[in-house]
Protein backbone atom coordinates (compact mmCIF):
# COMPACT_ATOMS: atom_id res chain seq x y z
CA UNK A 1 0.00 0.00 0.00
CA UNK A 2 2.79 2.36 0.84
CA UNK A 3 4.04 1.70 -2.68
CA UNK A 4 0.86 2.97 -4.37
CA UNK A 5 0.74 6.01 -2.18
CA UNK A 6 4.34 6.76 -3.08
CA UNK A 7 3.39 6.50 -6.75
CA UNK A 8 0.48 8.81 -6.26
CA UNK A 9 2.74 11.20 -4.49
CA UNK A 10 5.11 11.15 -7.43
CA UNK A 11 2.28 11.85 -9.88
CA UNK A 12 1.18 14.78 -7.85
CA UNK A 13 4.57 16.42 -7.80
CA UNK A 14 4.88 16.06 -11.56
CA UNK A 15 1.48 17.49 -12.35
CA UNK A 16 2.13 20.25 -9.91
CA UNK A 17 5.09 21.18 -12.09
CA UNK A 18 7.64 21.31 -9.30
CA UNK A 19 11.30 20.60 -9.97
CA UNK A 20 11.90 17.08 -11.22
CA UNK A 21 14.03 14.87 -9.04
CA UNK A 22 16.69 12.65 -10.49
CA UNK A 23 14.68 9.52 -9.74
CA UNK A 24 11.90 10.51 -12.10
CA UNK A 25 14.27 10.76 -15.07
CA UNK A 26 15.90 7.38 -14.73
CA UNK A 27 12.89 5.31 -15.76
CA UNK A 28 13.13 5.92 -19.49
CA UNK A 29 12.12 2.77 -21.33
CA UNK A 30 14.44 0.95 -23.68
CA UNK A 31 13.59 1.56 -27.30
CA UNK A 32 13.18 -1.87 -28.92
CA UNK A 33 14.55 -0.48 -32.19
CA UNK A 34 17.86 0.45 -30.65
CA UNK A 35 18.77 -2.85 -29.01
CA UNK A 36 19.73 -5.70 -31.27
CA UNK A 37 20.91 -9.13 -30.22
CA UNK A 38 24.01 -9.10 -28.07
CA UNK A 39 27.12 -8.86 -30.24
CA UNK A 40 29.81 -11.35 -29.26
CA UNK A 41 31.72 -11.81 -32.48
CA UNK A 42 33.30 -9.37 -34.87
CA UNK A 43 31.77 -10.64 -38.12
CA UNK A 44 33.85 -8.30 -40.22
CA UNK A 45 37.11 -9.51 -38.72
CA UNK A 46 35.94 -13.08 -39.17
CA UNK A 47 35.31 -12.50 -42.87
CA UNK A 48 38.79 -11.02 -43.30
CA UNK A 49 40.36 -13.92 -41.42
CA UNK A 50 38.58 -16.45 -43.60
CA UNK A 51 39.40 -14.62 -46.83
CA UNK A 52 43.04 -14.34 -45.84
CA UNK A 53 43.27 -17.97 -44.78
CA UNK A 54 41.68 -19.19 -48.02
CA UNK A 55 43.91 -17.02 -50.21
CA UNK A 56 47.16 -18.07 -48.52
CA UNK A 57 49.50 -19.96 -50.86
CA UNK A 58 46.74 -20.20 -53.47
CA UNK A 59 44.50 -22.13 -51.07
CA UNK A 60 47.03 -24.87 -50.36
CA UNK A 61 47.38 -24.09 -46.64
CA UNK A 62 43.63 -23.92 -46.31
CA UNK A 63 43.27 -27.35 -47.96
CA UNK A 64 45.79 -28.99 -45.66
CA UNK A 65 43.85 -27.91 -42.57
CA UNK A 66 40.50 -29.22 -43.83
CA UNK A 67 40.84 -32.35 -41.68
CA UNK A 68 38.44 -31.39 -38.87
CA UNK A 69 35.71 -30.17 -41.20
CA UNK A 70 36.08 -33.13 -43.54
CA UNK A 71 35.76 -35.56 -40.66
CA UNK A 72 32.65 -33.83 -39.34
CA UNK A 73 31.14 -33.51 -42.83
CA UNK A 74 31.66 -37.23 -43.25
CA UNK A 75 29.82 -37.99 -40.01
CA UNK A 76 27.07 -35.55 -40.91
CA UNK A 77 26.40 -37.00 -44.36
CA UNK A 78 25.50 -40.30 -42.68
CA UNK A 79 22.76 -38.49 -40.81
CA UNK A 80 21.46 -37.02 -44.05
CA UNK A 81 21.48 -40.43 -45.73
CA UNK A 82 19.20 -41.69 -42.94
CA UNK A 83 16.50 -39.42 -44.38
CA UNK A 84 14.85 -41.44 -47.11
CA UNK A 85 13.98 -38.64 -49.43
CA UNK A 86 15.23 -37.33 -52.76
CA UNK A 87 15.75 -33.56 -52.73
CA UNK A 88 15.79 -31.15 -55.66
CA UNK A 89 17.98 -28.62 -53.89
CA UNK A 90 19.77 -28.45 -50.58
CA UNK A 91 20.94 -25.15 -49.11
CA UNK A 92 24.35 -25.35 -47.43
CA UNK A 93 24.42 -22.46 -44.97
CA UNK A 94 27.97 -21.30 -44.22
CA UNK A 95 29.34 -23.87 -46.60
CA UNK A 96 32.94 -22.67 -46.78
CA UNK A 97 34.53 -24.31 -49.82
CA UNK A 98 31.89 -27.05 -49.58
CA UNK A 99 33.26 -29.73 -47.27
CA UNK A 100 29.79 -31.11 -46.84
CA UNK A 101 28.43 -30.32 -50.31
CA UNK A 102 31.23 -32.29 -51.96
CA UNK A 103 29.95 -35.46 -50.32
CA UNK A 104 26.44 -35.09 -51.73
CA UNK A 105 25.51 -37.63 -54.39
CA UNK A 106 23.04 -37.36 -57.28
CA UNK A 107 20.84 -39.98 -55.53
CA UNK A 108 20.28 -37.56 -52.63
CA UNK A 109 19.89 -34.23 -54.38
CA UNK A 110 20.07 -32.74 -57.86
CA UNK A 111 21.54 -29.44 -56.80
CA UNK A 112 23.27 -27.76 -53.88
CA UNK A 113 23.25 -24.04 -53.10
CA UNK A 114 26.24 -22.92 -51.08
CA UNK A 115 26.03 -19.72 -49.06
CA UNK A 116 28.97 -18.18 -47.24
CA UNK A 117 30.12 -14.72 -46.14
CA UNK A 118 33.71 -15.28 -47.28
CA UNK A 119 34.00 -15.01 -51.06
CA UNK A 120 37.53 -16.45 -51.14
CA UNK A 121 36.52 -19.52 -49.21
CA UNK A 122 33.30 -19.97 -51.17
CA UNK A 123 35.15 -20.02 -54.51
CA UNK A 124 38.25 -21.87 -53.34
CA UNK A 125 37.46 -25.15 -55.07
CA UNK A 126 36.24 -25.63 -58.68
CA UNK A 127 32.80 -27.00 -59.57
CA UNK A 128 34.45 -30.17 -60.89
CA UNK A 129 35.07 -31.28 -57.28
CA UNK A 130 31.34 -31.68 -56.79
CA UNK A 131 29.12 -34.52 -57.96
CA UNK A 132 25.95 -32.42 -58.14
CA UNK A 133 25.13 -29.06 -59.67
CA UNK A 134 26.46 -26.14 -57.59
CA UNK A 135 25.23 -22.61 -57.09
CA UNK A 136 27.18 -20.16 -54.92
CA UNK A 137 25.69 -17.22 -53.05
CA UNK A 138 28.02 -14.74 -51.39
CA UNK A 139 25.99 -13.35 -48.49
CA UNK A 140 26.05 -12.92 -44.75
CA UNK A 141 24.73 -16.03 -42.99
CA UNK A 142 23.20 -13.83 -40.29
CA UNK A 143 20.76 -12.29 -42.79
CA UNK A 144 19.58 -15.48 -44.43
CA UNK A 145 16.07 -14.26 -45.16
CA UNK A 146 17.40 -11.33 -47.19
CA UNK A 147 18.65 -13.69 -49.91
CA UNK A 148 16.44 -16.75 -49.47
CA UNK A 149 12.64 -16.38 -49.69
CA UNK A 150 10.41 -17.77 -46.96
CA UNK A 151 8.94 -21.25 -47.38
CA UNK A 152 11.30 -22.00 -50.26
CA UNK A 153 13.79 -24.64 -49.15
CA UNK A 154 13.38 -28.41 -48.95
CA UNK A 155 16.43 -28.89 -46.78
CA UNK A 156 18.98 -26.64 -45.13
CA UNK A 157 22.27 -27.94 -43.79
CA UNK A 158 24.99 -26.15 -41.88
CA UNK A 159 28.31 -27.76 -41.13
CA UNK A 160 30.55 -26.06 -38.55
CA UNK A 161 29.63 -22.48 -39.26
CA UNK A 162 27.02 -21.41 -36.70
CA UNK A 163 29.58 -20.94 -33.92
CA UNK A 164 30.45 -17.51 -35.37
CA UNK A 165 26.86 -16.32 -35.55
CA UNK A 166 25.98 -13.65 -32.99
CA UNK A 167 22.27 -14.32 -32.84
CA UNK A 168 21.93 -18.09 -32.72
CA UNK A 169 18.22 -18.11 -31.76
CA UNK A 170 17.59 -15.65 -34.59
CA UNK A 171 19.38 -17.67 -37.25
CA UNK A 172 17.49 -20.82 -36.25
CA UNK A 173 14.22 -18.94 -36.64
CA UNK A 174 15.33 -17.67 -40.05
CA UNK A 175 16.22 -21.22 -41.08
CA UNK A 176 12.79 -22.43 -40.01
CA UNK A 177 11.13 -19.61 -41.91
CA UNK A 178 13.16 -20.32 -45.05
CA UNK A 179 12.13 -23.99 -45.01
CA UNK A 180 9.01 -25.34 -46.68
CA UNK A 181 6.55 -27.09 -44.38
CA UNK A 182 7.99 -30.55 -43.61
CA UNK A 183 11.44 -29.28 -44.61
CA UNK A 184 14.42 -30.48 -42.65
CA UNK A 185 17.32 -28.66 -40.99
CA UNK A 186 20.50 -30.59 -40.32
CA UNK A 187 23.31 -28.85 -38.51
CA UNK A 188 26.66 -29.46 -36.88
CA UNK A 189 28.26 -26.89 -34.64
CA UNK A 190 31.09 -26.70 -32.14
CA UNK A 191 30.12 -27.32 -28.54
CA UNK A 192 31.39 -25.74 -25.34
CA UNK A 193 34.12 -28.30 -24.66
CA UNK A 194 35.83 -27.44 -27.94
CA UNK A 195 39.49 -26.51 -27.44
CA UNK A 196 39.16 -26.64 -23.65
CA UNK A 197 42.84 -27.58 -23.43
CA UNK A 198 43.87 -24.40 -25.24
CA UNK A 199 41.39 -22.31 -23.27
CA UNK A 200 42.63 -23.51 -19.88
CA UNK A 201 46.31 -23.31 -20.81
CA UNK A 202 46.03 -19.72 -21.99
CA UNK A 203 43.98 -18.77 -18.93
CA UNK A 204 46.49 -20.30 -16.53
CA UNK A 205 49.41 -18.70 -18.36
CA UNK A 206 47.74 -15.28 -18.34
CA UNK A 207 46.82 -15.50 -14.67
CA UNK A 208 50.29 -16.58 -13.62
CA UNK A 209 52.24 -14.24 -15.89
CA UNK A 210 50.02 -11.17 -16.12
CA UNK A 211 47.51 -11.56 -13.31
CA UNK A 212 44.27 -11.61 -15.33
CA UNK A 213 42.47 -13.33 -18.17
CA UNK A 214 41.07 -12.22 -21.49
CA UNK A 215 38.99 -14.07 -24.11
CA UNK A 216 41.04 -16.18 -26.52
CA UNK A 217 38.65 -19.05 -27.20
CA UNK A 218 35.06 -18.16 -28.12
CA UNK A 219 32.14 -18.95 -25.89
CA UNK A 220 30.25 -21.86 -27.45
CA UNK A 221 26.85 -23.42 -26.95
CA UNK A 222 26.09 -26.76 -25.28
CA UNK A 223 23.73 -29.55 -26.26
CA UNK A 224 20.99 -28.63 -23.75
CA UNK A 225 20.90 -25.07 -25.08
CA UNK A 226 20.67 -26.38 -28.61
CA UNK A 227 17.59 -28.51 -27.97
CA UNK A 228 15.94 -25.59 -26.19
CA UNK A 229 16.79 -23.17 -28.98
CA UNK A 230 15.61 -25.57 -31.67
CA UNK A 231 12.33 -26.03 -29.84
CA UNK A 232 11.98 -22.30 -29.35
CA UNK A 233 12.57 -21.68 -33.06
CA UNK A 234 9.60 -23.93 -33.79
CA UNK A 235 11.24 -27.11 -35.05
CA UNK A 236 9.62 -30.46 -34.27
CA UNK A 237 10.90 -34.06 -34.10
CA UNK A 238 14.20 -32.86 -32.69
CA UNK A 239 17.33 -34.93 -32.55
CA UNK A 240 20.38 -33.55 -30.76
CA UNK A 241 23.52 -35.55 -30.14
CA UNK A 242 27.10 -34.86 -29.19
CA UNK A 243 30.29 -36.26 -30.59
CA UNK A 244 33.99 -35.57 -30.24
CA UNK A 245 36.88 -35.27 -32.66
CA UNK A 246 40.30 -35.43 -31.01
CA UNK A 247 43.36 -34.35 -32.91
CA UNK A 248 46.97 -34.78 -31.74
CA UNK A 249 49.47 -32.02 -32.45
CA UNK A 250 53.23 -31.87 -31.87
CA UNK A 251 52.70 -28.81 -29.65
CA UNK A 252 50.39 -25.87 -29.00
CA UNK A 253 52.13 -23.85 -31.72
CA UNK A 254 51.04 -26.12 -34.55
CA UNK A 255 47.49 -26.07 -33.22
CA UNK A 256 47.40 -22.27 -33.24
CA UNK A 257 48.89 -22.14 -36.70
CA UNK A 258 46.37 -24.61 -38.09
CA UNK A 259 43.47 -22.78 -36.44
CA UNK A 260 44.60 -19.59 -38.12
CA UNK A 261 44.78 -21.30 -41.51
CA UNK A 262 41.29 -22.69 -40.97
CA UNK A 263 40.13 -19.08 -40.60
CA UNK A 264 39.25 -19.87 -37.00
CA UNK A 265 41.35 -17.23 -35.26
CA UNK A 266 39.88 -15.34 -32.35
CA UNK A 267 37.12 -12.94 -33.40
CA UNK A 268 35.52 -12.12 -30.05
CA UNK A 269 34.66 -8.44 -29.76
CA UNK A 270 37.01 -6.86 -27.23
CA UNK A 271 39.72 -9.46 -27.73
CA UNK A 272 43.31 -8.47 -27.13
CA UNK A 273 45.14 -8.27 -30.43
CA UNK A 274 48.40 -9.20 -28.82
CA UNK A 275 49.66 -11.97 -26.57
CA UNK A 276 52.96 -11.36 -24.85
CA UNK A 277 55.55 -13.91 -25.92
CA UNK A 278 56.23 -14.81 -22.28
CA UNK A 279 52.54 -15.68 -21.93
CA UNK A 280 52.56 -17.70 -25.14
CA UNK A 281 55.65 -19.65 -24.11
CA UNK A 282 54.13 -20.22 -20.67
CA UNK A 283 50.88 -21.46 -22.23
CA UNK A 284 52.81 -23.87 -24.43
CA UNK A 285 54.62 -25.30 -21.39
CA UNK A 286 51.38 -25.60 -19.41
CA UNK A 287 49.54 -27.20 -22.33
CA UNK A 288 52.17 -29.90 -22.55
CA UNK A 289 52.35 -30.65 -18.83
CA UNK A 290 48.63 -30.45 -18.17
CA UNK A 291 47.24 -32.24 -21.21
CA UNK A 292 50.23 -33.81 -22.98
CA UNK A 293 50.15 -37.47 -23.99
CA UNK A 294 52.83 -40.06 -23.35
CA UNK A 295 54.14 -39.96 -26.91
CA UNK A 296 54.95 -36.26 -26.49
CA UNK A 297 52.04 -34.93 -28.54
CA UNK A 298 49.29 -32.69 -27.22
CA UNK A 299 45.58 -33.33 -27.87
CA UNK A 300 42.98 -30.83 -29.01
CA UNK A 301 39.32 -31.69 -28.54
CA UNK A 302 36.63 -30.56 -30.93
CA UNK A 303 33.19 -31.19 -29.48
CA UNK A 304 30.51 -31.38 -32.14
CA UNK A 305 26.77 -30.97 -31.57
CA UNK A 306 24.59 -32.43 -34.32
CA UNK A 307 21.02 -31.22 -34.58
CA UNK A 308 18.14 -32.32 -36.77
CA UNK A 309 14.80 -30.53 -36.77
CA UNK A 310 11.75 -30.45 -38.99
CA UNK A 311 9.46 -27.59 -39.84
CA UNK A 312 5.97 -28.58 -38.70
CA UNK A 313 3.44 -29.67 -41.32
CA UNK A 314 -0.04 -31.22 -40.98
CA UNK A 315 1.07 -34.35 -42.87
CA UNK A 316 3.88 -35.06 -40.42
CA UNK A 317 3.71 -37.95 -37.96
CA UNK A 318 3.21 -36.64 -34.45
CA UNK A 319 3.73 -38.04 -31.01
CA UNK A 320 0.51 -39.49 -29.56
CA UNK A 321 -1.18 -37.73 -26.68
CA UNK A 322 0.03 -38.60 -23.20
CA UNK A 323 -1.85 -41.49 -21.64
CA UNK A 324 -3.33 -42.73 -24.92
CA UNK A 325 -1.06 -45.82 -25.05
CA UNK A 326 -2.91 -49.14 -24.77
CA UNK A 327 -0.02 -51.58 -24.45
CA UNK A 328 1.68 -51.87 -21.10
CA UNK A 329 5.43 -51.57 -21.50
CA UNK A 330 5.83 -54.16 -18.73
CA UNK A 331 4.42 -56.80 -21.06
CA UNK A 332 7.04 -56.09 -23.67
CA UNK A 333 10.17 -55.57 -21.59
CA UNK B 1 67.83 -27.88 -35.68
CA UNK B 2 70.74 -26.41 -37.63
CA UNK B 3 71.47 -22.70 -37.13
CA UNK B 4 71.39 -22.12 -40.89
CA UNK B 5 67.79 -23.29 -41.11
CA UNK B 6 66.60 -21.41 -38.02
CA UNK B 7 67.46 -18.07 -39.60
CA UNK B 8 64.81 -18.59 -42.30
CA UNK B 9 62.07 -19.12 -39.69
CA UNK B 10 59.79 -16.34 -38.53
CA UNK B 11 60.37 -15.05 -34.99
CA UNK B 12 57.22 -16.81 -33.82
CA UNK B 13 58.37 -20.13 -35.29
CA UNK B 14 61.73 -19.67 -33.60
CA UNK B 15 59.99 -19.03 -30.30
CA UNK B 16 57.95 -22.16 -30.90
CA UNK B 17 61.04 -24.26 -31.57
CA UNK B 18 62.98 -22.93 -28.61
CA UNK B 19 60.13 -23.20 -26.14
CA UNK B 20 59.44 -26.83 -27.05
CA UNK B 21 62.92 -28.22 -27.80
CA UNK B 22 65.84 -26.01 -26.76
CA UNK B 23 64.31 -25.09 -23.40
CA UNK B 24 62.18 -28.21 -22.97
CA UNK B 25 63.49 -29.05 -19.49
CA UNK B 26 62.87 -25.54 -18.11
CA UNK B 27 59.44 -25.53 -19.77
CA UNK B 28 58.65 -28.84 -18.13
CA UNK B 29 59.73 -27.57 -14.70
CA UNK B 30 57.50 -24.53 -15.11
CA UNK B 31 54.59 -26.65 -16.32
CA UNK B 32 54.93 -28.99 -13.32
CA UNK B 33 54.88 -26.03 -10.97
CA UNK B 34 51.61 -24.81 -12.54
CA UNK B 35 50.24 -28.34 -12.43
CA UNK B 36 50.86 -28.42 -8.68
CA UNK B 37 48.96 -25.15 -8.10
CA UNK B 38 46.48 -24.92 -10.97
CA UNK B 39 43.39 -24.99 -8.74
CA UNK B 40 44.63 -21.83 -7.05
CA UNK B 41 46.97 -20.09 -9.44
CA UNK B 42 47.83 -16.48 -8.83
CA UNK B 43 50.17 -13.99 -10.41
CA UNK B 44 53.83 -14.96 -10.10
CA UNK B 45 52.99 -18.26 -8.39
CA UNK B 46 55.75 -19.89 -10.41
CA UNK B 47 57.95 -16.86 -10.85
CA UNK B 48 61.25 -18.62 -10.20
CA UNK B 49 60.55 -21.46 -12.60
CA UNK B 50 59.48 -19.02 -15.28
CA UNK B 51 62.56 -16.87 -14.74
CA UNK B 52 64.74 -19.83 -15.67
CA UNK B 53 62.52 -20.71 -18.64
CA UNK B 54 62.48 -17.10 -19.81
CA UNK B 55 66.24 -16.73 -19.43
CA UNK B 56 66.76 -19.84 -21.53
CA UNK B 57 64.40 -18.49 -24.20
CA UNK B 58 66.11 -15.12 -24.30
CA UNK B 59 69.45 -16.82 -24.57
CA UNK B 60 68.24 -19.06 -27.41
CA UNK B 61 66.48 -16.27 -29.28
CA UNK B 62 69.56 -14.06 -28.85
CA UNK B 63 67.50 -11.05 -27.92
CA UNK B 64 65.89 -9.37 -24.94
CA UNK B 65 62.28 -8.36 -24.41
Amino acid sequence: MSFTSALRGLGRTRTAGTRRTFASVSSSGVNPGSVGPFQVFDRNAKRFQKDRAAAKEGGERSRTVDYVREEVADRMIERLLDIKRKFDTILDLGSGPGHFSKLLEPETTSKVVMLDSSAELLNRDPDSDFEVEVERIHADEENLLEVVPRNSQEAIVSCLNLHWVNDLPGILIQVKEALQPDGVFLGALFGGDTLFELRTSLQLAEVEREGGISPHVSPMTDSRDMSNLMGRAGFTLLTVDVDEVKVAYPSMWELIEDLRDMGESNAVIGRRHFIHRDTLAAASAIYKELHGQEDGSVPATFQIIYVIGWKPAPSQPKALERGSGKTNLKDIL
Amino acid sequence: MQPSSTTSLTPLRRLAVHSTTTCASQASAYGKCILATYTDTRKDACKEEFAKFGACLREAMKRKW
Side-chain angles (χ1 to χ4, degrees), chain A residues 48-64:
Chain A
F48 281 131
Q49 288 171 0
K50 284 188 171 180
D51 279 346
R52 212 178 298 133
K56 200 176 173 191
E57 293 172 24
E60 273 319 300
R61 271 307 294 170
S62 175
R63 281 187 197 95
T64 50

Side-chain angles (χ1 to χ4, degrees), chain A residues 204-205 207-211 251-253 257 260 276-286 288-290, chain B residues 12-13 15-16 19-20 27-28 30-32 34-35 38 41-47 50 53 57-58 65:
Chain A
L204 283 171
V207 166
E208 200 277 328
R209 285 289 87 215
E210 303 177 44
S251 74
M252 186 195 81
W253 307 91
E257 201 175 307
R260 185 195 60 206
H276 195 276
R277 55 178 91 179
D278 275 351
T279 312
L280 264 182
S284 147
I286 294 166
K288 190 160 169 51
E289 285 304 318
L290 210 58
Chain B
L12 191 66
R13 282 267 179 88
L15 183 65
S19 66
T20 50
S28 174
Y30 172 72
K32 287 203 170 66
I34 295 284
L35 194 61
Y38 78 93
T41 305
R42 56 195 69 212
K43 189 169 180 338
D44 294 333
C46 298
K47 197 177 180 180
F50 192 83
F53 184 29
L57 284 178
R58 284 161 175 76
W65 62 81

Side-chain angles (χ1 to χ4, degrees), chain A residues 262-327:
Chain A
M262 289 176 196
E264 298 293 317
S265 305
N266 189 5
V268 174
I269 289 176
R271 65 196 177 279
R272 284 168 81 198
H273 294 265
F274 174 82
I275 311 180
H276 195 276
R277 55 178 91 179
D278 275 351
T279 312
L280 264 182
S284 147
I286 294 166
Y287 203 129
K288 190 160 169 51
E289 285 304 318
L290 210 58
H291 306 288
Q293 286 155 344
E294 281 172 14
D295 61 358
S297 64
V298 298
T301 304
F302 297 89
Q303 186 191 40
I304 320 289
I305 303 173
Y306 298 95
V307 295
I308 306 175
W310 296 77
K311 181 158 174 172
S315 61
Q316 240 168 28
K318 284 183 189 63
L320 292 175
E321 205 169 313
R322 264 182 98 92
S324 63
K326 294 203 169 54
T327 318

Side-chain angles (χ1 to χ4, degrees), chain A residues 35-297:
Chain A
V35 278
F38 187 63
Q39 298 286 305
V40 190
F41 305 116
D42 186 341
R43 299 277 301 170
N44 229 1
K46 183 41 63 191
R47 210 185 62 236
F48 281 131
Q49 288 171 0
K50 284 188 171 180
D51 279 346
R52 212 178 298 133
K56 200 176 173 191
E57 293 172 24
E60 273 319 300
R61 271 307 294 170
S62 175
R63 281 187 197 95
T64 50
V65 295
D66 273 348
Y67 48 88
V68 175
R69 286 167 188 277
E70 275 172 0
E71 175 65 33
V72 174
D74 208 44
R75 296 181 189 185
M76 202 166 114
I77 199 88
E78 286 172 23
R79 289 165 166 79
L80 184 72
L81 292 177
D82 285 341
I83 299 168
K84 300 280 173 247
R85 196 181 275 193
K86 165 92 167 75
F87 300 101
D88 287 327
T89 56
I90 292 182
L91 176 69
D92 190 348
L93 177 65
S95 61
H99 303 102
F100 181 82
S101 298
K102 275 180 210 166
L103 302 175
L104 290 168
E105 289 169 350
E107 292 83 54
T108 319
T109 179
S110 325
K111 185 182 169 190
V112 61
V113 180
M114 306 202 314
L115 188 152
D116 202 283
S117 55
S118 159
E120 292 279 350
L121 211 52
L122 189 63
N123 295 306
R124 194 191 76 184
D125 293 344
D127 285 6
S128 53
D129 285 4
F130 297 83
E131 290 187 43
V132 296
E133 191 193 336
V134 191
E135 185 191 330
R136 298 168 208 246
I137 302 176
H138 176 219
D140 190 353
E141 299 93 348
E142 280 193 343
N143 303 318
L144 178 64
L145 286 179
E146 284 178 13
V147 283
V148 174
R150 285 165 195 262
N151 297 313
S152 66
Q153 301 297 317
E154 292 168 68
I156 298 182
V157 297
S158 172
C159 187
L160 298 184
N161 181 267
L162 295 183
H163 59 290
W164 289 119
V165 164
N166 279 309
D167 181 15
L168 191 57
I171 193 76
L172 291 175
I173 291 169
Q174 290 191 55
V175 165
K176 197 212 86 183
E177 285 299 314
L179 282 171
Q180 294 169 0
D182 203 29
V184 63
F185 170 62
L186 186 70
L189 60 163
F190 285 118
D193 286 347
T194 303
L195 295 179
F196 75 90
E197 300 96 341
L198 183 64
R199 188 197 301 266
T200 50
S201 305
L202 281 167
Q203 282 174 351
L204 283 171
E206 276 194 327
V207 166
E208 200 277 328
R209 285 289 87 215
E210 303 177 44
I213 58 171
S214 60
H216 292 293
V217 178
S218 312
M220 280 166 279
T221 176
D222 77 20
S223 53
R224 264 169 315 166
D225 295 339
M226 273 319 287
S227 35
N228 290 340
L229 289 177
M230 291 285 286
R232 179 182 147 185
F235 287 101
T236 56
L237 306 169
L238 299 180
T239 319
V240 177
D241 65 308
V242 182
D243 200 0
E244 255 179 25
V245 178
K246 263 196 180 202
V247 185
Y249 292 89
S251 74
M252 186 195 81
W253 307 91
E254 284 79 9
L255 167 63
I256 293 182
E257 201 175 307
D258 278 13
L259 286 174
R260 185 195 60 206
D261 291 336
M262 289 176 196
E264 298 293 317
S265 305
N266 189 5
V268 174
I269 289 176
R271 65 196 177 279
R272 284 168 81 198
H273 294 265
F274 174 82
I275 311 180
H276 195 276
R277 55 178 91 179
D278 275 351
T279 312
L280 264 182
S284 147
I286 294 166
Y287 203 129
K288 190 160 169 51
E289 285 304 318
L290 210 58
H291 306 288
Q293 286 155 344
E294 281 172 14
D295 61 358
S297 64

